[in-house]
Structures are given as structure tokens and as C-alpha cells.
PDB file of all heavy atoms in Angstrom:
ATOM      1  N   HIS A   1       1.577   7.606  10.240  1.00  0.00           N
ATOM      2  CA  HIS A   1       2.432   7.537  11.402  1.00  0.00           C
ATOM      3  C   HIS A   1       1.886   6.460  12.316  1.00  0.00           C
ATOM      4  O   HIS A   1       2.713   5.661  12.964  1.00  0.00           O
ATOM      5  CB  HIS A   1       2.507   8.852  12.158  1.00  0.00           C
ATOM      6  CG  HIS A   1       3.403   9.804  11.482  1.00  0.00           C
ATOM      7  ND1 HIS A   1       4.748   9.872  11.756  1.00  0.00           N
ATOM      8  CD2 HIS A   1       3.237  10.832  10.608  1.00  0.00           C
ATOM      9  CE1 HIS A   1       5.352  10.821  11.073  1.00  0.00           C
ATOM     10  NE2 HIS A   1       4.434  11.427  10.388  1.00  0.00           N
ATOM     11  N   GLY A   2       0.604   6.345  12.542  1.00  0.00           N
ATOM     12  CA  GLY A   2       0.006   5.364  13.376  1.00  0.00           C
ATOM     13  C   GLY A   2       0.253   3.894  12.881  1.00  0.00           C
ATOM     14  O   GLY A   2       0.565   3.034  13.630  1.00  0.00           O
ATOM     15  N   LEU A   3       0.068   3.782  11.563  1.00  0.00           N
ATOM     16  CA  LEU A   3       0.349   2.426  10.944  1.00  0.00           C
ATOM     17  C   LEU A   3       1.760   2.011  11.123  1.00  0.00           C
ATOM     18  O   LEU A   3       2.078   0.884  11.446  1.00  0.00           O
ATOM     19  CB  LEU A   3      -0.028   2.427   9.432  1.00  0.00           C
ATOM     20  CG  LEU A   3      -1.500   2.512   9.117  1.00  0.00           C
ATOM     21  CD1 LEU A   3      -1.731   2.617   7.637  1.00  0.00           C
ATOM     22  CD2 LEU A   3      -2.288   1.331   9.655  1.00  0.00           C
ATOM     23  N   HIS A   4       2.745   2.994  10.942  1.00  0.00           N
ATOM     24  CA  HIS A   4       4.102   2.681  11.160  1.00  0.00           C
ATOM     25  C   HIS A   4       4.464   2.312  12.532  1.00  0.00           C
ATOM     26  O   HIS A   4       5.213   1.342  12.792  1.00  0.00           O
ATOM     27  CB  HIS A   4       4.943   3.909  10.701  1.00  0.00           C
ATOM     28  CG  HIS A   4       6.450   3.651  10.761  1.00  0.00           C
ATOM     29  ND1 HIS A   4       7.200   4.051  11.840  1.00  0.00           N
ATOM     30  CD2 HIS A   4       7.295   3.101   9.868  1.00  0.00           C
ATOM     31  CE1 HIS A   4       8.473   3.698  11.666  1.00  0.00           C
ATOM     32  NE2 HIS A   4       8.536   3.159  10.454  1.00  0.00           N
ATOM     33  N   ALA A   5       3.939   3.031  13.518  1.00  0.00           N
ATOM     34  CA  ALA A   5       4.149   2.683  14.886  1.00  0.00           C
ATOM     35  C   ALA A   5       3.657   1.330  15.277  1.00  0.00           C
ATOM     36  O   ALA A   5       4.166   0.683  16.259  1.00  0.00           O
ATOM     37  CB  ALA A   5       3.503   3.736  15.804  1.00  0.00           C
ATOM     38  N   SER A   6       2.573   0.868  14.593  1.00  0.00           N
ATOM     39  CA  SER A   6       1.972  -0.432  14.884  1.00  0.00           C
ATOM     40  C   SER A   6       2.626  -1.560  14.098  1.00  0.00           C
ATOM     41  O   SER A   6       2.197  -2.696  14.132  1.00  0.00           O
ATOM     42  CB  SER A   6       0.496  -0.376  14.590  1.00  0.00           C
ATOM     43  OG  SER A   6      -0.202   0.581  15.328  1.00  0.00           O
ATOM     44  N   GLY A   7       3.666  -1.240  13.285  1.00  0.00           N
ATOM     45  CA  GLY A   7       4.342  -2.214  12.481  1.00  0.00           C
ATOM     46  C   GLY A   7       3.601  -2.622  11.265  1.00  0.00           C
ATOM     47  O   GLY A   7       3.865  -3.691  10.628  1.00  0.00           O
ATOM     48  N   LEU A   8       2.607  -1.743  10.851  1.00  0.00           N
ATOM     49  CA  LEU A   8       1.825  -2.128   9.666  1.00  0.00           C
ATOM     50  C   LEU A   8       2.205  -1.304   8.471  1.00  0.00           C
ATOM     51  O   LEU A   8       1.466  -1.298   7.441  1.00  0.00           O
ATOM     52  CB  LEU A   8       0.314  -1.831   9.982  1.00  0.00           C
ATOM     53  CG  LEU A   8      -0.194  -2.702  11.123  1.00  0.00           C
ATOM     54  CD1 LEU A   8      -1.684  -2.329  11.478  1.00  0.00           C
ATOM     55  CD2 LEU A   8      -0.199  -4.192  10.807  1.00  0.00           C
ATOM     56  N   TRP A   9       3.323  -0.554   8.496  1.00  0.00           N
ATOM     57  CA  TRP A   9       3.827   0.157   7.296  1.00  0.00           C
ATOM     58  C   TRP A   9       5.326  -0.174   7.214  1.00  0.00           C
ATOM     59  O   TRP A   9       6.089   0.170   8.158  1.00  0.00           O
ATOM     60  CB  TRP A   9       3.587   1.670   7.547  1.00  0.00           C
ATOM     61  CG  TRP A   9       3.723   2.425   6.272  1.00  0.00           C
ATOM     62  CD1 TRP A   9       4.811   3.015   5.783  1.00  0.00           C
ATOM     63  CD2 TRP A   9       2.617   2.746   5.342  1.00  0.00           C
ATOM     64  NE1 TRP A   9       4.580   3.648   4.618  1.00  0.00           N
ATOM     65  CE2 TRP A   9       3.219   3.500   4.217  1.00  0.00           C
ATOM     66  CE3 TRP A   9       1.281   2.386   5.295  1.00  0.00           C
ATOM     67  CZ2 TRP A   9       2.473   3.834   3.189  1.00  0.00           C
ATOM     68  CZ3 TRP A   9       0.548   2.801   4.187  1.00  0.00           C
ATOM     69  CH2 TRP A   9       1.162   3.556   3.199  1.00  0.00           C
ATOM     70  N   SER A  10       5.721  -0.738   6.129  1.00  0.00           N
ATOM     71  CA  SER A  10       7.073  -1.264   5.972  1.00  0.00           C
ATOM     72  C   SER A  10       8.119  -0.193   5.884  1.00  0.00           C
ATOM     73  O   SER A  10       9.297  -0.456   6.242  1.00  0.00           O
ATOM     74  CB  SER A  10       7.134  -2.229   4.819  1.00  0.00           C
ATOM     75  OG  SER A  10       7.109  -1.464   3.608  1.00  0.00           O
ATOM     76  N   GLY A  11       7.767   0.923   5.427  1.00  0.00           N
ATOM     77  CA  GLY A  11       8.733   1.953   5.226  1.00  0.00           C
ATOM     78  C   GLY A  11       9.209   2.074   3.712  1.00  0.00           C
ATOM     79  O   GLY A  11       9.672   3.103   3.268  1.00  0.00           O
ATOM     80  N   GLU A  12       8.993   1.010   2.948  1.00  0.00           N
ATOM     81  CA  GLU A  12       9.279   1.072   1.532  1.00  0.00           C
ATOM     82  C   GLU A  12       8.054   1.382   0.743  1.00  0.00           C
ATOM     83  O   GLU A  12       7.004   0.667   0.814  1.00  0.00           O
ATOM     84  CB  GLU A  12       9.836  -0.263   1.027  1.00  0.00           C
ATOM     85  CG  GLU A  12      10.239  -0.240  -0.373  1.00  0.00           C
ATOM     86  CD  GLU A  12      10.780  -1.647  -0.895  1.00  0.00           C
ATOM     87  OE1 GLU A  12      10.995  -2.479  -0.099  1.00  0.00           O
ATOM     88  OE2 GLU A  12      10.919  -1.838  -2.072  1.00  0.00           O
ATOM     89  N   ARG A  13       8.072   2.461  -0.030  1.00  0.00           N
ATOM     90  CA  ARG A  13       6.844   2.812  -0.729  1.00  0.00           C
ATOM     91  C   ARG A  13       6.394   1.784  -1.742  1.00  0.00           C
ATOM     92  O   ARG A  13       7.183   1.010  -2.318  1.00  0.00           O
ATOM     93  CB  ARG A  13       7.038   4.182  -1.474  1.00  0.00           C
ATOM     94  CG  ARG A  13       7.897   4.217  -2.667  1.00  0.00           C
ATOM     95  CD  ARG A  13       7.979   5.594  -3.313  1.00  0.00           C
ATOM     96  NE  ARG A  13       9.257   5.828  -3.934  1.00  0.00           N
ATOM     97  CZ  ARG A  13      10.264   6.318  -3.325  1.00  0.00           C
ATOM     98  NH1 ARG A  13      10.216   6.598  -2.056  1.00  0.00           N
ATOM     99  NH2 ARG A  13      11.462   6.496  -3.947  1.00  0.00           N
ATOM    100  N   GLY A  14       5.106   1.784  -2.031  1.00  0.00           N
ATOM    101  CA  GLY A  14       4.536   0.841  -2.936  1.00  0.00           C
ATOM    102  C   GLY A  14       4.492  -0.626  -2.495  1.00  0.00           C
ATOM    103  O   GLY A  14       4.213  -1.495  -3.268  1.00  0.00           O
ATOM    104  N   THR A  15       4.626  -0.833  -1.155  1.00  0.00           N
ATOM    105  CA  THR A  15       4.574  -2.290  -0.640  1.00  0.00           C
ATOM    106  C   THR A  15       3.567  -2.351   0.526  1.00  0.00           C
ATOM    107  O   THR A  15       3.480  -3.384   1.137  1.00  0.00           O
ATOM    108  CB  THR A  15       5.926  -2.726  -0.159  1.00  0.00           C
ATOM    109  OG1 THR A  15       6.389  -1.933   0.917  1.00  0.00           O
ATOM    110  CG2 THR A  15       6.954  -2.652  -1.353  1.00  0.00           C
ATOM    111  N   ASN A  16       2.826  -1.297   0.725  1.00  0.00           N
ATOM    112  CA  ASN A  16       1.937  -1.258   1.892  1.00  0.00           C
ATOM    113  C   ASN A  16       0.440  -1.238   1.498  1.00  0.00           C
ATOM    114  O   ASN A  16       0.068  -1.290   0.266  1.00  0.00           O
ATOM    115  CB  ASN A  16       2.192  -0.002   2.688  1.00  0.00           C
ATOM    116  CG  ASN A  16       3.685   0.056   3.140  1.00  0.00           C
ATOM    117  OD1 ASN A  16       4.060  -0.582   4.107  1.00  0.00           O
ATOM    118  ND2 ASN A  16       4.469   0.804   2.435  1.00  0.00           N
ATOM    119  N   LEU A  17      -0.414  -1.287   2.490  1.00  0.00           N
ATOM    120  CA  LEU A  17      -1.863  -1.488   2.243  1.00  0.00           C
ATOM    121  C   LEU A  17      -2.512  -0.404   1.409  1.00  0.00           C
ATOM    122  O   LEU A  17      -3.245  -0.668   0.482  1.00  0.00           O
ATOM    123  CB  LEU A  17      -2.522  -1.557   3.585  1.00  0.00           C
ATOM    124  CG  LEU A  17      -4.070  -1.846   3.537  1.00  0.00           C
ATOM    125  CD1 LEU A  17      -4.357  -3.136   2.826  1.00  0.00           C
ATOM    126  CD2 LEU A  17      -4.664  -1.858   4.922  1.00  0.00           C
ATOM    127  N   PHE A  18      -2.187   0.920   1.650  1.00  0.00           N
ATOM    128  CA  PHE A  18      -2.883   1.968   0.952  1.00  0.00           C
ATOM    129  C   PHE A  18      -1.980   2.726  -0.066  1.00  0.00           C
ATOM    130  O   PHE A  18      -2.294   3.846  -0.431  1.00  0.00           O
ATOM    131  CB  PHE A  18      -3.404   2.965   1.958  1.00  0.00           C
ATOM    132  CG  PHE A  18      -4.466   2.383   2.873  1.00  0.00           C
ATOM    133  CD1 PHE A  18      -4.218   2.232   4.248  1.00  0.00           C
ATOM    134  CD2 PHE A  18      -5.605   1.940   2.370  1.00  0.00           C
ATOM    135  CE1 PHE A  18      -5.208   1.683   5.068  1.00  0.00           C
ATOM    136  CE2 PHE A  18      -6.635   1.345   3.174  1.00  0.00           C
ATOM    137  CZ  PHE A  18      -6.351   1.206   4.611  1.00  0.00           C
ATOM    138  N   ASP A  19      -0.888   2.209  -0.389  1.00  0.00           N
ATOM    139  CA  ASP A  19       0.018   2.918  -1.402  1.00  0.00           C
ATOM    140  C   ASP A  19       0.154   2.060  -2.734  1.00  0.00           C
ATOM    141  O   ASP A  19       1.067   2.325  -3.422  1.00  0.00           O
ATOM    142  CB  ASP A  19       1.390   3.140  -0.753  1.00  0.00           C
ATOM    143  CG  ASP A  19       2.117   1.860  -0.367  1.00  0.00           C
ATOM    144  OD1 ASP A  19       1.608   0.781  -0.628  1.00  0.00           O
ATOM    145  OD2 ASP A  19       3.240   2.004   0.134  1.00  0.00           O
ATOM    146  N   GLY A  20      -0.784   1.184  -2.931  1.00  0.00           N
ATOM    147  CA  GLY A  20      -0.705   0.353  -4.170  1.00  0.00           C
ATOM    148  C   GLY A  20       0.037  -0.914  -3.977  1.00  0.00           C
ATOM    149  O   GLY A  20       0.169  -1.696  -4.900  1.00  0.00           O
ATOM    150  N   GLY A  21       0.548  -1.222  -2.798  1.00  0.00           N
ATOM    151  CA  GLY A  21       1.282  -2.403  -2.520  1.00  0.00           C
ATOM    152  C   GLY A  21       0.374  -3.623  -2.474  1.00  0.00           C
ATOM    153  O   GLY A  21       0.724  -4.709  -2.870  1.00  0.00           O
ATOM    154  N   ALA A  22      -0.793  -3.428  -1.953  1.00  0.00           N
ATOM    155  CA  ALA A  22      -1.773  -4.515  -1.847  1.00  0.00           C
ATOM    156  C   ALA A  22      -2.520  -4.700  -3.241  1.00  0.00           C
ATOM    157  O   ALA A  22      -3.025  -3.690  -3.755  1.00  0.00           O
ATOM    158  CB  ALA A  22      -2.772  -4.330  -0.739  1.00  0.00           C
ATOM    159  N   PRO A  23      -2.595  -5.880  -3.792  1.00  0.00           N
ATOM    160  CA  PRO A  23      -3.330  -6.047  -5.064  1.00  0.00           C
ATOM    161  C   PRO A  23      -4.782  -5.747  -5.050  1.00  0.00           C
ATOM    162  O   PRO A  23      -5.386  -5.518  -6.117  1.00  0.00           O
ATOM    163  CB  PRO A  23      -3.073  -7.495  -5.370  1.00  0.00           C
ATOM    164  CG  PRO A  23      -2.735  -8.224  -4.112  1.00  0.00           C
ATOM    165  CD  PRO A  23      -2.079  -7.131  -3.274  1.00  0.00           C
ATOM    166  N   PHE A  24      -5.370  -5.655  -3.822  1.00  0.00           N
ATOM    167  CA  PHE A  24      -6.762  -5.310  -3.759  1.00  0.00           C
ATOM    168  C   PHE A  24      -6.975  -3.843  -3.394  1.00  0.00           C
ATOM    169  O   PHE A  24      -8.064  -3.414  -3.065  1.00  0.00           O
ATOM    170  CB  PHE A  24      -7.493  -6.208  -2.710  1.00  0.00           C
ATOM    171  CG  PHE A  24      -6.744  -6.243  -1.344  1.00  0.00           C
ATOM    172  CD1 PHE A  24      -6.847  -5.287  -0.380  1.00  0.00           C
ATOM    173  CD2 PHE A  24      -5.878  -7.326  -1.114  1.00  0.00           C
ATOM    174  CE1 PHE A  24      -6.172  -5.369   0.802  1.00  0.00           C
ATOM    175  CE2 PHE A  24      -5.119  -7.364   0.078  1.00  0.00           C
ATOM    176  CZ  PHE A  24      -5.286  -6.403   1.037  1.00  0.00           C
ATOM    177  N   TYR A  25      -5.927  -3.053  -3.502  1.00  0.00           N
ATOM    178  CA  TYR A  25      -5.992  -1.620  -3.365  1.00  0.00           C
ATOM    179  C   TYR A  25      -5.088  -0.928  -4.325  1.00  0.00           C
ATOM    180  O   TYR A  25      -4.012  -0.484  -4.016  1.00  0.00           O
ATOM    181  CB  TYR A  25      -5.611  -1.190  -1.950  1.00  0.00           C
ATOM    182  CG  TYR A  25      -6.251   0.135  -1.536  1.00  0.00           C
ATOM    183  CD1 TYR A  25      -7.476   0.272  -0.903  1.00  0.00           C
ATOM    184  CD2 TYR A  25      -5.457   1.312  -1.727  1.00  0.00           C
ATOM    185  CE1 TYR A  25      -8.027   1.476  -0.556  1.00  0.00           C
ATOM    186  CE2 TYR A  25      -6.004   2.569  -1.289  1.00  0.00           C
ATOM    187  CZ  TYR A  25      -7.253   2.619  -0.741  1.00  0.00           C
ATOM    188  OH  TYR A  25      -7.809   3.822  -0.435  1.00  0.00           O
ATOM    189  N   ASP A  26      -5.533  -0.970  -5.604  1.00  0.00           N
ATOM    190  CA  ASP A  26      -4.688  -0.522  -6.728  1.00  0.00           C
ATOM    191  C   ASP A  26      -5.501  -0.185  -7.936  1.00  0.00           C
ATOM    192  O   ASP A  26      -6.693  -0.338  -7.915  1.00  0.00           O
ATOM    193  CB  ASP A  26      -3.647  -1.579  -7.021  1.00  0.00           C
ATOM    194  CG  ASP A  26      -2.399  -1.067  -7.699  1.00  0.00           C
ATOM    195  OD1 ASP A  26      -2.337   0.123  -8.025  1.00  0.00           O
ATOM    196  OD2 ASP A  26      -1.477  -1.889  -7.894  1.00  0.00           O
ATOM    197  N   THR A  27      -4.876   0.193  -8.984  1.00  0.00           N
ATOM    198  CA  THR A  27      -5.562   0.422 -10.255  1.00  0.00           C
ATOM    199  C   THR A  27      -5.114  -0.594 -11.292  1.00  0.00           C
ATOM    200  O   THR A  27      -4.025  -1.061 -11.250  1.00  0.00           O
ATOM    201  CB  THR A  27      -5.261   1.867 -10.780  1.00  0.00           C
ATOM    202  OG1 THR A  27      -3.846   2.018 -10.997  1.00  0.00           O
ATOM    203  CG2 THR A  27      -5.724   2.907  -9.861  1.00  0.00           C
ATOM    204  N   TYR A  28      -6.037  -0.883 -12.214  1.00  0.00           N
ATOM    205  CA  TYR A  28      -5.767  -1.854 -13.214  1.00  0.00           C
ATOM    206  C   TYR A  28      -6.152  -1.376 -14.581  1.00  0.00           C
ATOM    207  O   TYR A  28      -7.231  -0.773 -14.761  1.00  0.00           O
ATOM    208  CB  TYR A  28      -6.418  -3.220 -12.914  1.00  0.00           C
ATOM    209  CG  TYR A  28      -5.881  -3.935 -11.705  1.00  0.00           C
ATOM    210  CD1 TYR A  28      -6.407  -3.644 -10.492  1.00  0.00           C
ATOM    211  CD2 TYR A  28      -4.844  -4.743 -11.837  1.00  0.00           C
ATOM    212  CE1 TYR A  28      -5.825  -4.250  -9.325  1.00  0.00           C
ATOM    213  CE2 TYR A  28      -4.263  -5.392 -10.700  1.00  0.00           C
ATOM    214  CZ  TYR A  28      -4.810  -5.127  -9.460  1.00  0.00           C
ATOM    215  OH  TYR A  28      -4.266  -5.781  -8.351  1.00  0.00           O
ATOM    216  N   GLU A  29      -5.334  -1.663 -15.612  1.00  0.00           N
ATOM    217  CA  GLU A  29      -5.562  -1.233 -16.967  1.00  0.00           C
ATOM    218  C   GLU A  29      -6.595  -2.119 -17.586  1.00  0.00           C
ATOM    219  O   GLU A  29      -6.558  -3.400 -17.400  1.00  0.00           O
ATOM    220  CB  GLU A  29      -4.279  -1.220 -17.801  1.00  0.00           C
ATOM    221  CG  GLU A  29      -4.465  -0.612 -19.174  1.00  0.00           C
ATOM    222  CD  GLU A  29      -3.174  -0.545 -19.952  1.00  0.00           C
ATOM    223  OE1 GLU A  29      -2.138  -1.097 -19.458  1.00  0.00           O
ATOM    224  OE2 GLU A  29      -3.191   0.073 -21.010  1.00  0.00           O
ATOM    225  N   CYS A  30      -7.480  -1.542 -18.392  1.00  0.00           N
ATOM    226  CA  CYS A  30      -8.494  -2.271 -19.108  1.00  0.00           C
ATOM    227  C   CYS A  30      -8.177  -2.422 -20.555  1.00  0.00           C
ATOM    228  O   CYS A  30      -7.163  -1.873 -21.015  1.00  0.00           O
ATOM    229  CB  CYS A  30      -9.878  -1.571 -18.894  1.00  0.00           C
ATOM    230  SG  CYS A  30     -10.325  -1.330 -17.210  1.00  0.00           S
ATOM    231  N   SER A  31      -9.028  -3.062 -21.284  1.00  0.00           N
ATOM    232  CA  SER A  31      -8.674  -3.349 -22.719  1.00  0.00           C
ATOM    233  C   SER A  31      -8.594  -2.130 -23.597  1.00  0.00           C
ATOM    234  O   SER A  31      -7.981  -2.067 -24.670  1.00  0.00           O
ATOM    235  CB  SER A  31      -9.706  -4.343 -23.308  1.00  0.00           C
ATOM    236  OG  SER A  31     -11.006  -3.703 -23.394  1.00  0.00           O
TER     237      SER A  31
END
């Protein structure tokens, strides 16, 4: 809620900092 009020949460899932939207906060498949 705080991130949203600060304009730091877009409202669309999967496009934000801590929901996998950021490529540096996500999971990656290995070989």
C-alpha cells in the first residue's frame, strides 16, 4: 500500500519491483 501511494507500484501484477517484474528480482531456469 505504501509503494502504491508513492507511485512505485503500477497496479499491474508482474511489472513491479518485488513481484517478478524487475529482472534483478526474479527466478531463472538453469540447464
